[in-house]
Amino acid sequence: GENVEQHPSTLSVQEGDSAVIKCTYSDSASNYFPWYKQELGKGPQLIIDIRSNVGEKKDQRIAVTLNKTAKHFSLHITETQPEDSAVYFCAASISNYQLIWGAGTKLIIKP
Amino acid sequence: NAGVTQTPKFRVLKTGQSMTLLCAQDMNHEYMYWYRQDPGMGLRLIHYSVGEGTTAKGEVPDGYNVSRLKKQNFLLGLESAAPSQTSVYFCASSYFPASSPDTQYFGPGTRLTVL
């Protein structure tokens, strides 16, 4: 079946440094790629997304890049802060009504 | 505006027991989803609904049933619980379908343990 692979599973960075999380998808028909952030004990929250007709999107300290040929997309967080510590999930649309999710990356920001 | 609420927050069941998880949203969303979240596996879609009175199977539907009798509510039922159904269950809703640039709003989750 279709799947999304997400790496790394855990990422530890120094406060102020950048963090990059990468995802690879299998369904060439996928056209929507959101990123969600999940804090402890809460449901995931959308932080940024990208459509297949766009190569890059930025929102303040976070950005997402998409390479449709290689079927991979990445989340970039610059100038990391303690409140960025959370689990991040990538996802890809596999139909009009379904997303398939990566396994998650636990981001740890070291003071 | 409460967003998406889930009842209960925690539940412990014995194998073979049944239960219903309730999800309610007050945002007038057409689309509602039930996911399960297991360690190291991300979110997996169980069932979803594209409007009142409709339901459809997701990625892992076996052992679960759902109903959407009212637009604002989406119920997830376990008829005969098994230990493999121990998980955290999340309900979500959205105004547009999943393939659109639109957020899914998630509830706080229900932690279910089946002994």
Side-chain angles (χ1 to χ4, degrees):
Chain A
E2 307 302 344
N3 73 311
V4 171
E5 292 188 2
Q6 183 172 346
H7 298 282
S9 56
T10 304
L11 179 59
S12 183
V13 301
Q14 205 70 38
E15 183 179 347
D17 287 351
S18 295
V20 180
I21 302 169
K22 299 182 179 182
C23 289
T24 303
Y25 61 98
S26 60
D27 186 356
S28 56
S30 294
N31 62 2
Y32 175 61
F33 308 91
W35 285 89
Y36 280 76
K37 175 184 181 182
Q38 185 178 27
E39 295 176 342
L40 199 60
K42 297 184 178 180
Q45 233 179 338
L46 180 71
I47 55 171
I48 196 166
D49 57 9
I50 194 167
R51 294 298 302 267
S52 58
N53 57 351
V54 175
E56 185 173 355
K57 184 176 178 181
K58 192 173 181 182
D59 183 4
Q60 299 183 338
R61 294 187 299 108
I62 60 173
V64 56
T65 59
L66 171 65
N67 183 328
K68 278 219 77 176
T69 304
K71 290 195 276 187
H72 67 70
F73 57 113
S74 300
L75 177 71
H76 304 253
I77 305 174
T78 59
E79 300 171 11
T80 52
Q81 300 169 4
E83 54 265 34
D84 295 330
S85 292
V87 178
Y88 292 80
F89 291 95
C90 63
S93 61
I94 56 169
S95 73
N96 279 341
Y97 310 115
Q98 296 190 45
L99 295 174
I100 190 157
W101 297 71
T105 296
K106 183 176 183 180
L107 178 61
I108 300 165
I109 308 300
K110 297 180 288 185
Chain B
N1 200 349
V4 179
T5 57
Q6 291 182 233
T7 310
K9 288 185 169 51
F10 302 94
R11 186 73 186 267
V12 178
L13 289 179
K14 293 181 180 177
T15 297
Q17 288 185 319
S18 63
M19 78 163 294
T20 300
L21 281 65
L22 172 62
C23 176
Q25 52 95 3
D26 61 3
M27 296 173 282
N28 201 34
H29 286 166
E30 291 291 342
Y31 302 90
M32 295 188 76
Y33 315 85
W34 274 109
Y35 292 96
R36 60 177 289 172
Q37 184 175 40
D38 301 295
M41 297 189 73
L43 290 157
R44 291 183 292 169
L45 183 65
I46 305 170
H47 286 280
Y48 63 96
S49 169
V50 301
E52 181 179 312
T54 75
T55 63
K57 294 180 180 180
E59 194 182 346
V60 289
D62 294 343
Y64 305 95
N65 56 75
V66 287
S67 64
R68 183 114 181 255
L69 298 179
K70 293 183 179 180
K71 186 176 184 179
Q72 63 267 33
N73 295 337
F74 196 27
L75 278 62
L76 178 71
L78 285 73
E79 289 185 349
S80 179
S84 60
Q85 294 177 304
T86 294
S87 188
V88 180
Y89 291 85
F90 285 100
C91 175
S93 71
S94 63
Y95 191 78
F96 292 107
S99 60
S100 300
D102 177 39
T103 186
Q104 291 187 18
Y105 292 87
F106 282 81
T110 295
R111 185 173 294 274
L112 175 66
T113 302
V114 183
L115 302 175

